[in-house]
């Protein structure tokens, strides 16, 4: 039976590939089943791509749809902003949506690679664009997103990255290939999974052969980019292992023992061969220059994420490195950019000519010396602008201020419960140093003792004593990993001996279903706010569609445009048209007459005033187009769909965390009762919002049908054309009719 299947599959390959696979079986590098699976992977790339796209939804347990919407959080300007990441298979585009507005869109060929760390965070690398560092709403969502991205990357590899939008050369030939074991981490153990690895000039491609092992681990990037300048290969302990480090992840490979390679010197030779070839195609790092006085947002984002220690420990590879490559890269980048300090301004306390600055205001009394105050991070006027400004004439030194009151309001207060827990010179912290540093900064403003945390998670509303949305967000970011839980639960000493960071981590490890409880509280706080933001935007789109649908005077204006356009085209030797797309409205002001200031739009206004002057006020019935919001119907529909899934997730979390055997206490019982009432209230509000969304989509579909527009026409474009036309029509009317 297996031979018959082999005859069906292998003859479709080239003779060289058939011989290569047969030799692998002969040397017992692959079993017959693994060889057949590898042969399937070597089939025609186009057929393979079509089959993969058709089975995406089934393999990911997602709805049978061509669009997949996920809540993500993007780090932007020193804070995490909620976005919708939409992966649209029909248009082969990834959309970044915020409050219904399509902020960015990336064609599939622009996706270069993806990587992720333990927890919710992941990174998408694009050709010719800045990388995206995102945080998914849940680990399950992150796995689905990365799985879809890996399929996209694999599809790009099959087609070759030669499209103009990528700006990349065509895919290079395979330089070296073979079977390698890749170390992957599961929640319970570490496994070596067999992969077929192919090396080209720009990348290292991974194809898992043992699919049964892959079912128990999270998906990994199928392509490792070697041309970005940050890939480093190094020898590891053991004669047959080596490590490949990139900016996003660490990959530990091992040369497998086979009949052909059963001696130590053979294993070492193969390992050195792989390392030599990979190292040859790892580009040297390129120093990135910064414009004077302008630090890019990407560098700030990178520094923030590296400081949090979230991108250096991928979930797939639970290996500690003596020196994190990310930290080295960041230090090297900051070292290069040190001359930027001189371009940003003079050092505090001195002006450009070396003189002391003007005196500070007099103080009415000396401030208490027992505590410090908060700093006011203002923007200082440059010295060269002082002389011609108000600051030279202001008598700043004569102003008297009440220092005691200022100090009372803005002093830095001691954090409750931190006394005796400041790090001693010899006190060791169990947690990862980078994560511990940032977690400790958060805890200084977190006025809750470790023993109170569990109780706070059973209070839904902040005004009732619960956690704030900022505190919930931070705790979700710093919740312990599987390794942290194992480490802290093995601690046998007294919690009071630990640093405050470790005390909180130990307490968090003891709380059952911590991740689900934090997700639950976070969703409960965000859901009503999101619905309140979407409701007016959806209603505005409905009103705009109704105004277009019920405005015969706007249709009459379009008829005038059609008549004028047909007259011109007929005299130009072109055929008459029965209709035109609304995108043509933007071209009316571009066609000029013999007088440079007279356009086709002027001719339209002139004809209307001559024959039907009443039509000139058609815009008064299109009030919703005076200031059209940037939100699109596509984006708003995605937002509503995500909210429905979020409410389902809340109900599922409640079901999972509610005890089934042990009787809940009074606080817990009250929590579950309030949660049930909230879910019912949210279901009613969301049901109404969903009906409004369906009404909006139907109304817009009718508009597209009425004006003969394409079914996939984005509402943001369509409404912008109409809004601009109305504005220009009014302007020209005012010019021609004083």
């Amino acid at each position: 039976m297996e031979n018959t299947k082999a005859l069906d599959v292998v003859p479709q390959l080239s003779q060289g590939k058939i011989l290569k696979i047969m030799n692998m079986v002969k040397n017992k590098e692959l079993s017959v089943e693994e060889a057949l699976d590898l042969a399937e992977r070597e089939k025609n790339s186009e057929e393979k791509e079509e089959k993969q796209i058709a089975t995406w939804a089934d393999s990911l347990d997602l709805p049978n749809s061509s669009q997949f919407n996920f809540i993500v959080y993007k780090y932007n300007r020193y804070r995490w902003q909620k976005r919708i990441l939409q992966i649209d298979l029909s248009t082969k585009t990834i959309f970044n949506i915020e409050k219904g507005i399509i902020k960015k869109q990336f064609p599939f060929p622009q996706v270069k690679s993806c990587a992720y760390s333990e927890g919710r965070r992941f990174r998408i690398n694009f050709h010719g664009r800045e990388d995206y560092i995102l945080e998914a709403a849940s680990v399950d969502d992150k796995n689905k997103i990365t799985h879809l991205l890996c399929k996209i990357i694999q599809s790009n590899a099959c087609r070759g990255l030669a499209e103009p939008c990528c700006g990349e050369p065509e895919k290079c030939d395979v330089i070296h290939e073979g079977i390698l074991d890749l170390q992957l981490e599961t929640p319970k153990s570490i496994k070596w999974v067999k992969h077929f690895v192919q090396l080209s000039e720009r990348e290292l491609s991974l194809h898992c052969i043992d699919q049964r092992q892959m079912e128990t681990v999270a998906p990994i990037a199928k392509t490792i980019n070697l041309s970005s300048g940050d890939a480093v290969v190094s020898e590891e302990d053991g004669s047959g292992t080596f490590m490949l480090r990139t900016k996003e992840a660490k990959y530990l490979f091992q040369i497998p023992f086979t009949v052909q390679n059963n001696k130590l010197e053979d294993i070492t030779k193969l390992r050195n061969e792989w390392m030599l070839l990979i190292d040859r195609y790892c580009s040297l790092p390129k120093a990135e220059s910064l414009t004077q006085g302008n630090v890019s947002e990407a560098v700030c984002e990178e520094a923030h994420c590296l400081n949090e220690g979230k991108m250096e420990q991928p979930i797939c590879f639970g290996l500690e490195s003596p020196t994190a490559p990310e930290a080295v890269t960041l230090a090297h980048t900051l070292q290069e950019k040190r001359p930027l300090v001189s371009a940003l301004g003079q050092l505090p306390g001195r002006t450009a000519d070396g003189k002391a600055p003007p005196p500070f205001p007099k103080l009415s009394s000396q401030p208490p010396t027992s505590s410090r105050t908060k700093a006011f991070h203002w923007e200082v006027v440059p010295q060269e602008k002082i002389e011609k400004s108000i600051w030279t004439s202001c008598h700043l030194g004569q102003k008297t201020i009440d220092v005691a009151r200022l100090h009372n309001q803005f002093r830095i207060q001691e954090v409750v419960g931190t006394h005796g827990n400041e790090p001693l010179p010899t006190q060791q912290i169990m947690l990862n140093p980078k994560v511990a540093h940032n977690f400790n900064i958060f805890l200084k403003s977190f006025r809750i003792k470790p023993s109170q945390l569990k109780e706070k998670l059973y209070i839904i509303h902040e005004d009732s004593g619960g956690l704030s949305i900022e505190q919930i967000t931070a705790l979700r970011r710093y919740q312990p990993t599987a390794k942290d839980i194992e480490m802290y639960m093995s601690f046998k000493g007294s919690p009071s001996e630990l640093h405050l960071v470790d005390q909180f981590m130990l307490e968090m490890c003891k709380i059952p279903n911590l991740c689900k409880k934090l997700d639950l509280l976070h969703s409960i706080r965000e859901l009503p706010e999101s619905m309140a933001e979407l409701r007016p935007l959806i209603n505005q789109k409905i009103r705009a569609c109704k105004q277009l649908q019920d405005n015969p005077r706007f249709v009459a204006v379009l008829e005038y445009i059609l008549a004028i356009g047909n007259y011109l085209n007929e005299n130009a030797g072109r055929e008459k048209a029965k209709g035109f797309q609304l995108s043509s409205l933007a071209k009316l002001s571009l066609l000029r007459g013999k007088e440079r200031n007279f356009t086709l739009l002027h001719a339209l206004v002139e004809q209307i005033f001559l024959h039907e002057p009443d039509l000139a006020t058609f815009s008064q019935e299109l009030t919703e187009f005076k200031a059209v919001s940037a939100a699109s119907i596509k984006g708003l529909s995605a937002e509503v769909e995500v909210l429905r899934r979020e409410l389902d997730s809340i109900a599922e979390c409640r079901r999972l965390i509610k005890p089934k055997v042990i009787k809940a206490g009074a606080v817990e019982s009250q929590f579950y009762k309030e949660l049930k009432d909230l879910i019912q209230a949210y279901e009613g509000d969301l049901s109404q919002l969903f009906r409004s969304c369906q009404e909006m989509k139907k109304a817009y579909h009718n508009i597209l049908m009425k004006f003969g527009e394409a079914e996939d026409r984005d509402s943001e474009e369509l409404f912008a054309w109409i809004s601009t036309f109305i504005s220009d029509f009014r302007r020209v009317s005012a010019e021609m009719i004083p």
Side-chain angles (χ1 to χ4, degrees):
M1 188 68 178
E2 291 176 352
N3 293 336
T4 304
K5 184 178 180 182
L7 290 174
D8 292 339
V9 175
V10 177
Q12 300 182 35
L13 306 177
S14 65
Q15 291 297 321
K17 290 182 178 180
I18 295 173
L19 183 61
K20 176 182 64 180
I21 295 175
M22 290 176 65
N23 286 333
M24 289 181 179
V25 176
K26 180 180 178 181
N27 296 331
K28 295 189 177 180
E29 295 181 53
L30 298 177
S31 65
V32 175
E33 292 80 5
E34 291 170 343
L36 291 174
D37 183 69
L38 181 58
E40 287 284 353
R41 294 175 182 273
E42 296 285 344
K43 280 185 179 182
N44 182 274
S45 61
E46 292 297 326
E47 294 179 1
K48 177 180 179 182
E49 180 188 1
E50 294 299 326
K51 291 181 180 179
Q52 286 175 338
I53 292 177
T55 57
W56 274 8
D58 295 336
S59 62
L60 294 172
D61 191 26
L62 291 171
N64 185 17
S65 173
S66 62
Q67 293 180 358
F68 303 105
N69 300 305
F70 302 94
I71 293 178
V72 295
Y73 297 88
K74 184 179 185 295
Y75 185 74
N76 186 28
R77 301 187 185 278
Y78 308 101
R79 63 191 183 95
W80 291 91
Q81 297 177 345
K82 183 180 178 181
R83 302 287 175 87
I84 301 296
L85 187 72
Q86 182 181 88
I87 301 177
D88 193 335
L89 305 186
S90 59
T91 61
K92 297 187 183 302
T93 308
I94 297 175
F95 295 94
N96 171 15
I97 301 172
E98 181 184 18
K99 297 179 181 178
I101 303 172
I102 298 177
K103 291 288 188 179
K104 294 285 180 63
Q105 43 186 300
F106 307 94
F108 282 2
Q110 274 196 336
V111 181
K112 180 167 62 175
S113 61
C114 73
Y116 58 93
S117 61
E118 199 166 12
R120 299 179 175 87
R121 193 168 298 178
F122 63 97
R123 181 199 301 268
I124 309 177
N125 305 96
F126 298 100
H127 292 289
R129 304 289 290 267
E130 289 186 354
D131 297 349
Y132 263 26
I133 298 179
L134 304 172
E135 197 171 83
S138 66
V139 175
D140 184 51
D141 275 1
K142 185 200 72 174
N143 291 338
K144 291 176 180 178
I145 294 170
T146 52
H147 200 150
L148 282 167
L149 290 172
C150 287
K151 293 290 186 181
I152 293 171
I153 295 166
Q154 190 174 1
S155 172
N156 291 341
C158 293
R159 288 190 168 192
L161 300 175
E163 297 191 14
C165 61
C166 302
E168 292 286 318
E170 290 189 4
K171 191 173 186 297
C172 301
D173 294 333
V174 174
I175 297 166
H176 190 62
E177 60 187 14
I179 303 297
L180 293 177
D181 290 337
L182 175 63
Q183 190 179 82
L184 303 179
E185 182 183 339
T186 68
K188 297 182 179 180
S189 63
I190 294 176
K191 297 182 178 181
W192 290 96
V193 181
K194 191 178 296 184
H195 282 72
F196 179 63
V197 183
Q198 294 179 311
L199 172 67
S200 65
E201 287 189 9
R202 300 195 323 272
E203 62 192 25
L204 196 70
S205 301
L206 309 179
H207 305 280
C208 178
I209 295 175
D210 193 348
Q211 294 294 333
R212 292 172 297 180
Q213 294 283 355
M214 286 298 293
E215 292 175 358
T216 59
V217 299
I220 64 166
K222 299 296 190 299
T223 304
I224 304 173
N225 182 33
L226 302 179
S227 61
S228 59
D230 54 26
V232 179
V233 63
S234 61
E235 180 181 341
E236 293 296 311
D237 294 336
S239 58
T241 58
F242 64 94
M243 174 79 76
L244 176 61
R245 294 181 175 89
T246 66
K247 181 170 58 175
E248 298 87 5
K250 295 179 282 188
Y251 305 83
L252 183 63
F253 293 100
Q254 174 181 271
I255 306 296
F257 282 89
T258 63
V259 174
Q260 186 78 6
N261 309 315
N262 56 4
K263 296 181 180 179
L264 186 61
E265 52 269 25
D266 295 334
I267 297 293
T268 305
K269 181 180 178 181
L270 283 174
R271 190 272 311 275
N272 294 339
E273 182 181 359
W274 272 104
M275 288 180 58
L276 180 64
L277 288 171
I278 294 175
D279 185 63
R280 180 182 302 171
Y281 295 103
C282 290
S283 304
L284 294 175
K286 297 181 181 179
E288 297 181 2
S289 61
L290 285 182
T291 307
Q292 288 189 351
N294 179 29
V295 181
S296 73
E297 181 180 324
V299 172
C300 296
E301 176 177 329
E302 185 77 10
H304 172 85
C305 295
L306 293 179
N307 285 336
E308 286 195 353
K310 294 295 185 179
M311 294 301 296
E312 70 169 358
Q313 297 179 355
I315 191 171
C316 312
F317 322 101
L319 301 170
E320 296 295 336
S321 172
T323 305
E326 295 86 348
V328 175
T329 303
L330 180 62
H332 176 71
T333 304
L334 296 179
Q335 182 70 21
E336 287 181 348
K337 295 164 185 173
R338 183 169 292 178
L340 186 65
V341 175
S342 61
L344 295 178
Q346 301 295 328
L347 292 175
R350 291 287 168 185
T351 61
D353 55 1
K355 298 180 180 180
F360 287 103
K362 294 180 180 179
L363 306 180
S364 62
S365 60
Q366 293 297 323
T369 58
S370 58
S371 62
R372 299 170 57 199
T373 59
K374 299 177 182 178
F376 178 33
H377 301 284
W378 53 15
E379 299 293 334
V380 180
V381 177
Q383 180 61 30
E384 61 271 15
K385 295 184 180 295
I386 290 288
E387 295 181 1
K388 297 181 180 180
S389 69
I390 62 169
W391 303 113
T392 55
S393 59
C394 290
H395 304 290
L396 300 179
Q398 299 179 3
K399 299 299 181 185
T400 303
I401 56 177
D402 189 342
V403 175
R405 178 165 176 79
L406 282 173
H407 189 274
N408 181 55
Q409 286 291 332
F410 299 103
R411 73 176 187 272
I412 298 177
Q413 301 180 9
E414 295 292 334
V415 180
V416 178
T418 60
H419 300 290
N421 288 288
E422 291 300 319
L424 300 175
T426 58
Q427 189 173 10
Q428 297 294 324
I429 298 180
M430 299 168 63
L431 192 61
N432 175 279
K434 269 185 184 175
V435 181
H437 172 74
N438 290 281
F439 191 36
N440 189 42
I441 294 174
F442 161 71
L443 290 178
K444 287 181 178 179
S445 61
F446 190 54
R447 297 178 177 84
I448 295 175
K449 296 180 180 179
S451 57
Q452 298 174 330
L453 181 59
K454 183 177 180 180
E455 179 184 348
K456 292 289 183 180
L457 296 179
Y458 286 107
I459 304 175
I460 293 179
H461 302 289
E462 182 181 0
D463 53 8
S464 301
L467 302 174
S468 67
I469 184 65
E470 293 80 12
Q471 292 170 341
I472 296 170
T473 302
L475 289 174
R476 291 174 77 226
R477 192 157 293 131
Y478 296 115
Q479 60 184 313
T481 64
K483 285 186 177 181
D484 295 334
I485 294 174
E486 182 180 357
M487 175 180 63
Y488 281 104
M489 295 309 289
S490 63
F491 177 73
K492 303 300 182 183
S494 172
S496 59
E497 301 173 1
L498 299 174
H499 185 272
L500 181 65
V501 168
D502 289 326
Q503 290 184 31
F504 264 96
M505 292 301 293
L506 178 62
E507 185 65 27
M508 292 168 74
C509 291
K510 293 179 180 179
I511 298 176
N513 298 312
L514 174 66
C515 178
K516 290 184 174 58
K517 288 178 180 178
L518 290 173
D519 289 348
L520 182 66
L521 290 175
H522 191 266
S523 298
I524 287 174
R525 299 289 181 81
E526 278 199 338
L527 194 61
E529 182 179 343
S530 299
M531 287 191 291
E533 290 174 347
L534 293 179
R535 192 173 291 110
L537 296 175
I538 291 175
N539 291 335
Q540 191 273 333
K541 297 299 179 187
I542 294 174
R543 291 194 301 270
C545 290
K546 286 183 177 180
Q547 287 183 0
L548 273 182
Q549 189 73 30
D550 303 332
N551 195 326
R553 295 205 292 174
F554 177 64
V555 176
V557 172
L558 297 183
E559 291 173 352
Y560 269 98
I561 297 174
L562 181 63
I564 294 172
N566 275 333
Y567 171 78
L568 294 178
N569 288 337
E570 187 176 12
N571 282 276
R574 304 182 65 177
E575 295 182 357
K576 287 186 176 182
K578 295 182 179 179
F580 60 89
Q581 294 184 353
L582 295 182
S583 59
S584 306
L585 296 176
K587 301 178 181 180
L588 292 173
S589 58
L590 302 179
L591 183 59
R592 298 182 181 276
K594 66 178 182 179
E595 299 176 10
R596 297 293 297 170
N597 60 347
F598 192 88
T599 66
L600 195 59
L601 183 58
H602 289 78
L604 172 65
V605 174
E606 187 178 67
Q607 293 295 325
I608 288 177
F609 274 104
L610 283 174
H611 301 285
E612 293 186 68
D614 291 343
L615 291 182
T617 59
F618 77 95
S619 60
Q620 295 178 1
E621 300 172 4
L622 298 175
T623 56
E624 294 298 333
F625 291 89
K626 290 181 180 179
V628 180
S629 68
S632 68
I633 290 177
K634 178 185 179 69
L636 292 172
S637 300
E639 295 272 7
V640 173
E641 180 193 333
V642 166
L643 289 183
R644 290 188 67 187
R645 293 216 321 264
E646 195 170 1
L647 184 58
D648 292 340
S649 177
I650 292 175
E652 179 66 12
C653 279
R654 177 183 178 274
R655 186 186 66 82
L656 292 175
I657 67 175
K658 186 176 181 180
K660 299 176 177 59
V661 180
I662 304 175
K663 186 177 180 181
V667 176
E668 296 180 33
S669 298
Q670 180 65 21
F671 170 77
Y672 293 122
K673 182 180 181 302
E674 290 183 8
L675 186 57
K676 182 180 179 181
D677 295 339
L678 272 179
I679 292 175
Q680 290 177 350
Y682 290 165
E683 283 177 346
D685 294 341
L686 192 56
S687 177
Q688 183 178 357
L689 188 67
F690 179 74
R691 287 194 296 270
S692 298
C693 182
Q694 293 298 107
E695 181 184 355
M696 172 189 68
K697 291 164 68 175
K698 183 178 179 181
Y700 182 64
H701 176 74
N702 292 337
I703 292 298
L704 295 178
M705 294 289 291
K706 178 173 182 176
F707 295 102
E709 296 290 327
E711 292 186 2
D712 59 349
R713 175 74 69 197
D714 189 85
S715 65
E716 188 177 356
E717 286 183 326
L718 187 72
F719 290 172
W721 294 330
I722 298 173
S723 178
T724 303
F725 170 69
I726 291 174
S727 177
D728 291 345
F729 189 94
R730 287 175 173 171
R731 175 180 54 80
V732 172
S733 298
E735 292 175 359
M736 298 184 65
I737 310 296

